[in-house]
Amino acid sequence: MSTSVRRAPERTGAGREAESAAGPRAVLGEARLHITVELGYPSDIGEQCAAVRREVTERIRGWAGMEVSDLAVSVERLHSAHTRHTDRERVR
């Protein structure tokens, strides 16, 4: 996993007023992330990656108060249901 973090820009008076109208929301910075996952297969890989993006984005906002401007998800390995119960590395 790689991460790049940038401090939030200074807010102007207009930005504070717009923020107040929408409710209080402190943004402490911006994060760019690249994470690697292992997924089960067969499955909808695109949907699994989208779910990972949603979950990570929500958690970064909640835990760190940061917006995620870019989140790349790479699939490093697929795990087949057929290989989970055997010692074989590949499905034939």
Side-chain angles (χ1 to χ4, degrees), residues 65-86:
M66 300 180 82
E67 290 298 320
V68 177
S69 64
D70 184 35
L71 176 54
V73 178
S74 297
V75 178
E76 182 173 282
R77 182 174 296 152
L78 297 174
H79 294 283
S80 170
H82 299 289
T83 61
R84 287 185 192 139
H85 304 293
T86 68

Side-chain angles (χ1 to χ4, degrees), residues 37-56:
V37 296
E38 295 183 12
L39 301 175
Y41 184 82
S43 65
D44 185 340
I45 295 169
E47 178 53 40
Q48 286 191 63
C49 289
V52 167
R53 282 188 201 91
R54 284 190 300 272
E55 183 71 21
V56 170

Side-chain angles (χ1 to χ4, degrees), residues 22-36:
R25 185 172 177 217
V27 176
L28 302 176
E30 181 178 279
R32 297 179 70 201
L33 303 159
H34 179 213
I35 59 175
T36 304

